[in-house]
PDB file of all heavy atoms in Angstrom:
ATOM      1  N   GLN A 161     119.758-186.252  58.238  1.00 98.00           N
ATOM      2  CA  GLN A 161     119.154-185.148  57.459  1.00 98.00           C
ATOM      3  C   GLN A 161     118.585-184.002  58.302  1.00 98.00           C
ATOM      4  O   GLN A 161     118.741-182.812  58.000  1.00 98.00           O
ATOM      5  CB  GLN A 161     118.020-185.806  56.578  1.00 98.00           C
ATOM      6  CG  GLN A 161     117.138-184.764  55.805  1.00 98.00           C
ATOM      7  CD  GLN A 161     116.156-185.403  54.895  1.00 98.00           C
ATOM      8  OE1 GLN A 161     116.546-185.660  53.777  1.00 98.00           O
ATOM      9  NE2 GLN A 161     114.980-185.572  55.286  1.00 98.00           N
ATOM     10  N   VAL A 162     118.068-184.397  59.459  1.00 98.00           N
ATOM     11  CA  VAL A 162     117.491-183.399  60.344  1.00 98.00           C
ATOM     12  C   VAL A 162     118.650-182.542  60.803  1.00 98.00           C
ATOM     13  O   VAL A 162     118.536-181.249  60.864  1.00 98.00           O
ATOM     14  CB  VAL A 162     116.754-183.988  61.530  1.00 98.00           C
ATOM     15  CG1 VAL A 162     116.235-182.968  62.506  1.00 98.00           C
ATOM     16  CG2 VAL A 162     115.674-184.905  61.137  1.00 98.00           C
ATOM     17  N   MET A 163     119.740-183.026  61.191  1.00 98.00           N
ATOM     18  CA  MET A 163     120.933-182.315  61.548  1.00 98.00           C
ATOM     19  C   MET A 163     121.399-181.445  60.460  1.00 98.00           C
ATOM     20  O   MET A 163     121.756-180.211  60.707  1.00 98.00           O
ATOM     21  CB  MET A 163     122.115-183.247  61.924  1.00 98.00           C
ATOM     22  CG  MET A 163     121.774-184.220  63.125  1.00 98.00           C
ATOM     23  SD  MET A 163     123.094-185.148  63.535  1.00 98.00           S
ATOM     24  CE  MET A 163     124.253-184.025  64.287  1.00 98.00           C
ATOM     25  N   ILE A 164     121.404-181.971  59.213  1.00 98.00           N
ATOM     26  CA  ILE A 164     121.809-181.116  58.091  1.00 98.00           C
ATOM     27  C   ILE A 164     120.864-179.895  57.858  1.00 98.00           C
ATOM     28  O   ILE A 164     121.267-178.781  57.636  1.00 98.00           O
ATOM     29  CB  ILE A 164     121.820-181.973  56.841  1.00 98.00           C
ATOM     30  CG1 ILE A 164     122.884-183.123  56.836  1.00 98.00           C
ATOM     31  CG2 ILE A 164     121.900-181.130  55.514  1.00 98.00           C
ATOM     32  CD1 ILE A 164     124.327-182.560  56.671  1.00 98.00           C
ATOM     33  N   VAL A 165     119.510-180.131  58.029  1.00 98.00           N
ATOM     34  CA  VAL A 165     118.521-179.107  57.740  1.00 98.00           C
ATOM     35  C   VAL A 165     118.761-178.025  58.898  1.00 98.00           C
ATOM     36  O   VAL A 165     118.700-176.852  58.618  1.00 98.00           O
ATOM     37  CB  VAL A 165     117.108-179.648  57.766  1.00 98.00           C
ATOM     38  CG1 VAL A 165     116.075-178.561  57.666  1.00 98.00           C
ATOM     39  CG2 VAL A 165     116.885-180.599  56.456  1.00 98.00           C
ATOM     40  N   LYS A 166     118.898-178.509  60.144  1.00 98.00           N
ATOM     41  CA  LYS A 166     119.168-177.501  61.207  1.00 98.00           C
ATOM     42  C   LYS A 166     120.397-176.608  60.872  1.00 98.00           C
ATOM     43  O   LYS A 166     120.409-175.432  61.141  1.00 98.00           O
ATOM     44  CB  LYS A 166     119.289-178.226  62.611  1.00 98.00           C
ATOM     45  CG  LYS A 166     117.950-178.769  63.074  1.00 98.00           C
ATOM     46  CD  LYS A 166     118.121-179.397  64.425  1.00 98.00           C
ATOM     47  CE  LYS A 166     116.818-179.747  64.981  1.00 98.00           C
ATOM     48  NZ  LYS A 166     116.841-180.581  66.083  1.00 98.00           N
ATOM     49  N   GLU A 167     121.475-177.272  60.410  1.00 98.00           N
ATOM     50  CA  GLU A 167     122.685-176.484  59.989  1.00 98.00           C
ATOM     51  C   GLU A 167     122.479-175.591  58.893  1.00 98.00           C
ATOM     52  O   GLU A 167     122.948-174.421  58.898  1.00 98.00           O
ATOM     53  CB  GLU A 167     123.773-177.594  59.699  1.00 98.00           C
ATOM     54  CG  GLU A 167     125.098-177.063  59.126  1.00 98.00           C
ATOM     55  CD  GLU A 167     125.829-176.208  60.285  1.00 98.00           C
ATOM     56  OE1 GLU A 167     125.592-176.358  61.411  1.00 98.00           O
ATOM     57  OE2 GLU A 167     126.716-175.307  59.821  1.00 98.00           O
ATOM     58  N   LEU A 168     121.616-176.004  57.904  1.00 98.00           N
ATOM     59  CA  LEU A 168     121.300-175.190  56.774  1.00 98.00           C
ATOM     60  C   LEU A 168     120.564-173.923  57.229  1.00 98.00           C
ATOM     61  O   LEU A 168     120.829-172.734  56.813  1.00 98.00           O
ATOM     62  CB  LEU A 168     120.375-175.909  55.827  1.00 98.00           C
ATOM     63  CG  LEU A 168     119.768-175.191  54.655  1.00 98.00           C
ATOM     64  CD1 LEU A 168     120.765-175.176  53.504  1.00 98.00           C
ATOM     65  CD2 LEU A 168     118.461-175.846  54.188  1.00 98.00           C
ATOM     66  N   VAL A 169     119.593-174.085  58.129  1.00 98.00           N
ATOM     67  CA  VAL A 169     118.814-173.056  58.637  1.00 98.00           C
ATOM     68  C   VAL A 169     119.697-172.118  59.413  1.00 98.00           C
ATOM     69  O   VAL A 169     119.498-170.775  59.366  1.00 98.00           O
ATOM     70  CB  VAL A 169     117.696-173.579  59.636  1.00 98.00           C
ATOM     71  CG1 VAL A 169     117.139-172.554  60.361  1.00 98.00           C
ATOM     72  CG2 VAL A 169     116.562-174.180  58.699  1.00 98.00           C
ATOM     73  N   LYS A 170     120.609-172.627  60.242  1.00 98.00           N
ATOM     74  CA  LYS A 170     121.615-171.750  60.833  1.00 98.00           C
ATOM     75  C   LYS A 170     122.448-170.915  59.953  1.00 98.00           C
ATOM     76  O   LYS A 170     122.614-169.679  60.043  1.00 98.00           O
ATOM     77  CB  LYS A 170     122.528-172.693  61.731  1.00 98.00           C
ATOM     78  CG  LYS A 170     123.194-171.907  62.895  1.00 98.00           C
ATOM     79  CD  LYS A 170     123.624-172.953  63.936  1.00 98.00           C
ATOM     80  CE  LYS A 170     125.105-173.194  63.832  1.00 98.00           C
ATOM     81  NZ  LYS A 170     125.625-174.196  64.639  1.00 98.00           N
ATOM     82  N   GLN A 171     123.102-171.651  58.896  1.00 98.00           N
ATOM     83  CA  GLN A 171     124.007-171.000  57.948  1.00 98.00           C
ATOM     84  C   GLN A 171     123.217-169.897  57.185  1.00 98.00           C
ATOM     85  O   GLN A 171     123.853-168.919  56.842  1.00 98.00           O
ATOM     86  CB  GLN A 171     124.480-172.016  56.948  1.00 98.00           C
ATOM     87  CG  GLN A 171     125.560-172.962  57.550  1.00 98.00           C
ATOM     88  CD  GLN A 171     126.235-173.884  56.462  1.00 98.00           C
ATOM     89  OE1 GLN A 171     125.885-173.764  55.318  1.00 98.00           O
ATOM     90  NE2 GLN A 171     127.002-174.790  57.002  1.00 98.00           N
ATOM     91  N   GLN A 172     122.032-170.144  56.938  1.00 97.00           N
ATOM     92  CA  GLN A 172     121.273-169.143  56.020  1.00 97.00           C
ATOM     93  C   GLN A 172     120.448-168.228  56.845  1.00 97.00           C
ATOM     94  O   GLN A 172     119.661-167.516  56.195  1.00 97.00           O
ATOM     95  CB  GLN A 172     120.376-169.976  55.011  1.00 97.00           C
ATOM     96  CG  GLN A 172     121.230-170.987  54.223  1.00 97.00           C
ATOM     97  CD  GLN A 172     120.769-171.118  52.770  1.00 97.00           C
ATOM     98  OE1 GLN A 172     119.617-170.785  52.471  1.00 97.00           O
ATOM     99  NE2 GLN A 172     121.728-171.559  51.924  1.00 97.00           N
ATOM    100  N   ASN A 173     120.548-168.236  58.158  1.00 98.00           N
ATOM    101  CA  ASN A 173     119.877-167.283  59.038  1.00 98.00           C
ATOM    102  C   ASN A 173     118.353-167.257  58.806  1.00 98.00           C
ATOM    103  O   ASN A 173     117.854-166.186  58.767  1.00 98.00           O
ATOM    104  CB  ASN A 173     120.493-165.866  58.766  1.00 98.00           C
ATOM    105  CG  ASN A 173     121.532-165.532  59.709  1.00 98.00           C
ATOM    106  OD1 ASN A 173     121.519-165.915  60.821  1.00 98.00           O
ATOM    107  ND2 ASN A 173     122.587-164.831  59.236  1.00 98.00           N
ATOM    108  N   LEU A 174     117.759-168.380  58.607  1.00 98.00           N
ATOM    109  CA  LEU A 174     116.285-168.489  58.530  1.00 98.00           C
ATOM    110  C   LEU A 174     115.638-168.526  59.871  1.00 98.00           C
ATOM    111  O   LEU A 174     116.178-169.376  60.695  1.00 98.00           O
ATOM    112  CB  LEU A 174     115.902-169.684  57.705  1.00 98.00           C
ATOM    113  CG  LEU A 174     116.618-169.706  56.282  1.00 98.00           C
ATOM    114  CD1 LEU A 174     116.278-171.043  55.496  1.00 98.00           C
ATOM    115  CD2 LEU A 174     116.245-168.537  55.328  1.00 98.00           C
ATOM    116  N   SER A 175     114.602-167.860  60.089  1.00 98.00           N
ATOM    117  CA  SER A 175     113.914-167.956  61.457  1.00 98.00           C
ATOM    118  C   SER A 175     112.803-168.927  61.308  1.00 98.00           C
ATOM    119  O   SER A 175     111.680-168.607  61.238  1.00 98.00           O
ATOM    120  CB  SER A 175     113.536-166.588  61.895  1.00 98.00           C
ATOM    121  OG  SER A 175     112.622-166.013  61.004  1.00 98.00           O
ATOM    122  N   ILE A 176     113.177-170.269  61.133  1.00 98.00           N
ATOM    123  CA  ILE A 176     112.174-171.281  60.983  1.00 98.00           C
ATOM    124  C   ILE A 176     112.575-172.347  62.018  1.00 98.00           C
ATOM    125  O   ILE A 176     113.784-172.805  62.071  1.00 98.00           O
ATOM    126  CB  ILE A 176     112.209-171.886  59.497  1.00 98.00           C
ATOM    127  CG1 ILE A 176     111.900-170.854  58.515  1.00 98.00           C
ATOM    128  CG2 ILE A 176     111.302-173.102  59.438  1.00 98.00           C
ATOM    129  CD1 ILE A 176     112.136-171.307  57.066  1.00 98.00           C
ATOM    130  N   ASP A 177     111.646-172.786  62.728  1.00 98.00           N
ATOM    131  CA  ASP A 177     111.905-173.845  63.796  1.00 98.00           C
ATOM    132  C   ASP A 177     111.818-175.238  63.027  1.00 98.00           C
ATOM    133  O   ASP A 177     110.964-175.571  62.345  1.00 98.00           O
ATOM    134  CB  ASP A 177     110.717-173.975  64.808  1.00 98.00           C
ATOM    135  CG  ASP A 177     111.000-173.005  66.015  1.00 98.00           C
ATOM    136  OD1 ASP A 177     112.093-172.523  66.108  1.00 98.00           O
ATOM    137  OD2 ASP A 177     110.000-172.844  66.712  1.00 98.00           O
ATOM    138  N   ILE A 178     112.960-175.912  63.159  1.00 98.00           N
ATOM    139  CA  ILE A 178     112.996-177.269  62.613  1.00 98.00           C
ATOM    140  C   ILE A 178     112.652-178.336  63.734  1.00 98.00           C
ATOM    141  O   ILE A 178     113.267-178.378  64.731  1.00 98.00           O
ATOM    142  CB  ILE A 178     114.361-177.613  62.094  1.00 98.00           C
ATOM    143  CG1 ILE A 178     114.760-176.565  60.995  1.00 98.00           C
ATOM    144  CG2 ILE A 178     114.441-178.983  61.432  1.00 98.00           C
ATOM    145  CD1 ILE A 178     113.851-176.390  59.871  1.00 98.00           C
TER     146      ILE A 178
END
Side-chain angles (χ1 to χ4, degrees):
Q161 174 172 275
V162 180
M163 296 181 75
I164 294 286
V165 171
K166 284 183 175 167
E167 176 63 23
L168 173 87
V169 163
K170 202 163 98 188
Q171 285 183 10
Q172 307 215 339
N173 267 322
L174 305 174
S175 57
I176 300 170
D177 270 352
I178 302 302

